[in-house]
């Protein structure tokens, strides 16, 4: 689990570099991604299926991005975009294409539906995460903010 | 008190830069409104789409002015978004005069991208990391690292020629699949699917998906639709690239099933 945490942190951090995040924020981008991934793994361990696990993980990492955004005084996007990558269904896209080519139609439709469900779960996770009022996060800011 | 036109131009230029570097619609509109408010322009309208900005101020007065910008969908640059955000805060609190703002805006726009070597290395590292996370063995991750390096070199070269995104994604995922199959054919004990999944991560439309959801959430349905279609088409392109190469591989090897 610790290894998974470190690797997901490195992977997220690398992608943050590709999106030209400032060096000072890289560590926190990585942290967001790693937390999202660990929450996802824990949910799977408790026997959840993939989509609800993604929903909860996305929810947690959206809130974490917003907290970091308030504390580190940076746009939420900074932490949310790199952080979400471990959960994005890249594997789903691959397997969907693979089973289509192989002509295994039942596997193909199962994977296709799963990919869409994951994307939908990520959407809901972000929506729930953003539905918490900004005022809650503003209390985290230090007192020298201007507007 | 500066004239309306000067302030609106500044606000729209900042919005343009934000949008170009991949900010969500809400932030762009909010920035323009805050700057206009800060300079006590009360009568204004701002409408922002994923690839355009429309703004007008003081329509009923002598110094009426309006602006339209066309902003192509660009590559995300988080550093510039953060810097522009900071700049707009300072403008709103009048910590930064109008003249200084233009200088600062130019600085923000010219924050460089990471050097090619750095981009290539981290693309490889990211691919390797994701390969391992999705169930690859260390050898698979190492291979994903090498393929990730080559993929980023390809992406940089393709960007210089400004090819269509479809072509870039189809060929990008195709290259990844070819390389992984070559390694498999060379007899390396790899999990070919995990290698591909790790190495296509740089192409996967995570940003478009996230931005789209946030646009929908803020009620910007049209912009959300543009981004979700971008995400869908990118996914299809990746699927086509992977699918085409696997089909060819099957024909060449006479229908041997991949492990």
């Amino acid at each position: 689990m610790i290894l998974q945490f470190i690797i997901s942190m490195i992977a997220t951090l690398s992608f943050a570099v590709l999106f030209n995040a400032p060096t000072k924020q890289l560590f926190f981008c990585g942290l967001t991604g790693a937390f999202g991934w660990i929450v996802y793994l824990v949910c799977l361990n408790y026997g959840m299926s993939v989509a609800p696990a993604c929903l909860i993980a996305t929810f947690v990492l959206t809130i974490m991005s917003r907290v970091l955004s308030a504390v580190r005084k940076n746009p939420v996007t900074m932490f949310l975009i790199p952080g979400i990558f471990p959960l994005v269904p890249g594997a789903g896209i691959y397997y969907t294409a693979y089973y289509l080519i192989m002509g295994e139609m039942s596997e193909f439709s199962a994977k296709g539906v799963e990919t869409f469900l994951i994307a939908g779960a990520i959407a809901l996770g972000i929506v729930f995460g953003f539905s918490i009022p900004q005022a809650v996060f503003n209390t985290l800011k230090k007192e020298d903010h201007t507007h | 008190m500066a004239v309306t036109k000067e302030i609106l131009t500044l606000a729209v230029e900042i919005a343009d830069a934000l949008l170009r570097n991949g900010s969500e619609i809400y932030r762009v509109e909010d920035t323009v409104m805050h700057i206009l408010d800060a300079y006590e322009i009360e009568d204004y309208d701002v409408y922002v789409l994923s690839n355009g900005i429309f703004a007008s101020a003081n329509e009923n007065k002598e110094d009426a002015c309006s602006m339209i910008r066309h902003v192509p969908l660009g590559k995300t640059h988080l550093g510039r978004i953060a810097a522009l955000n900071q700049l707009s805060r300072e403008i709103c609190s009048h910590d930064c005069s109008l003249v200084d703002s233009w200088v600062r805006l130019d600085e923000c726009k010219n924050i460089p991208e990471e050097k090619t070597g750095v981009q290539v290395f981290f693309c490889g590292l990211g691919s390797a990391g994701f390969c391992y996370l999705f169930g690859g063995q260390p050898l698979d991750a190492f291979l994903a690292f090498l393929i990730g390096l080559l993929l980023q070199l390809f992406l940089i070269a393709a960007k210089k020629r400004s090819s269509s995104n479809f072509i870039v994604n189809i060929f990008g995922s195709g290259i990844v699949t070819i390389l992984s199959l070559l390694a498999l054919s060379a007899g390396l004990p790899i999990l070919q699917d995990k290698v591909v999944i790790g190495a296509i991560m740089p192409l996967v439309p995570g940003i478009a998906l996230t931005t789209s959801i946030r646009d929908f959430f803020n009620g910007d349905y049209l912009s959300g639709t543009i981004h979700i279609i971008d995400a869908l088409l990118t996914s299809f392109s990746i699927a086509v690239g992977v699918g085409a190469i696997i089909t060819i591989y099957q024909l060449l090897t006479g229908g041997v099933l991949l492990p």
Side-chain angles (χ1 to χ4, degrees), chain B residues 12 22 34 36 45 48 61-62 66 98 108 111 123 126 130-131 134 148 159 185 189 193 210 213 221 250:
Chain B
V12 169
H34 270 118
L36 293 179
D45 263 305
V48 180
K61 295 188 186 153
E62 284 274 302
S66 57
L98 276 180
C108 291
I111 296 174
C123 185
F130 282 119
C131 175
F134 299 144
K159 199 177 145 206
S185 309
D193 52 343
T210 313
I213 296 161
Y221 295 130
Q250 294 244 301

Side-chain angles (χ1 to χ4, degrees), chain A residues 3-4 7 14 18-20 37 74-75 77-78 81 84-86 88 94-95 98 101-102 123 130 147, chain B residues 24 27 75 77-79 82 113-114 119 122 130 132-133 192-194 201 204 207 210 213-214 247 250:
Chain A
L3 187 63
Q4 288 278 327
I7 302 263
S14 310
L18 289 183
F19 307 140
N20 298 290
W37 179 249
N74 260 286
T77 317
M78 175 78 70
I81 286 184
I84 211 119
F85 260 84
V88 171
Y94 172 79
Y95 286 119
Y98 175 75
I101 298 300
M102 293 300 177
F130 273 100
H147 66 255
Chain B
E24 74 274 16
R27 181 181 307 285
K75 191 172 178 292
H77 192 309
L78 294 174
E113 298 213 327
E114 297 289 348
Q119 278 189 35
F122 278 99
F130 282 119
Y132 185 81
L133 290 182
Q192 183 262 346
D193 52 343
K194 306 295 180 199
M201 282 310 278
V204 168
I207 299 181
T210 313
I213 296 161
R214 296 190 63 193
T247 312
Q250 294 244 301

Side-chain angles (χ1 to χ4, degrees), chain A residues 1 4-6 8-9 12 28-44 50-65 68 79-80 82-88 122, chain B residues 130 133-134:
Chain A
M1 198 63 115
Q4 288 278 327
F5 186 85
I6 294 170
S8 58
M9 189 155 173
T12 316
F28 296 92
C29 297
L31 208 59
T32 320
F35 263 92
W37 179 249
I38 291 299
V39 169
Y40 173 76
L41 287 184
V42 169
C43 287
L44 287 187
V50 180
C54 264
L55 194 154
I56 294 173
T58 318
F59 178 68
V60 169
L61 84 85
T62 306
I63 291 180
M64 189 163 164
S65 311
L68 281 172
F79 308 105
L80 186 60
I84 211 119
F85 260 84
L87 301 172
V88 171
I122 291 175
Chain B
F130 282 119
L133 290 182
F134 299 144

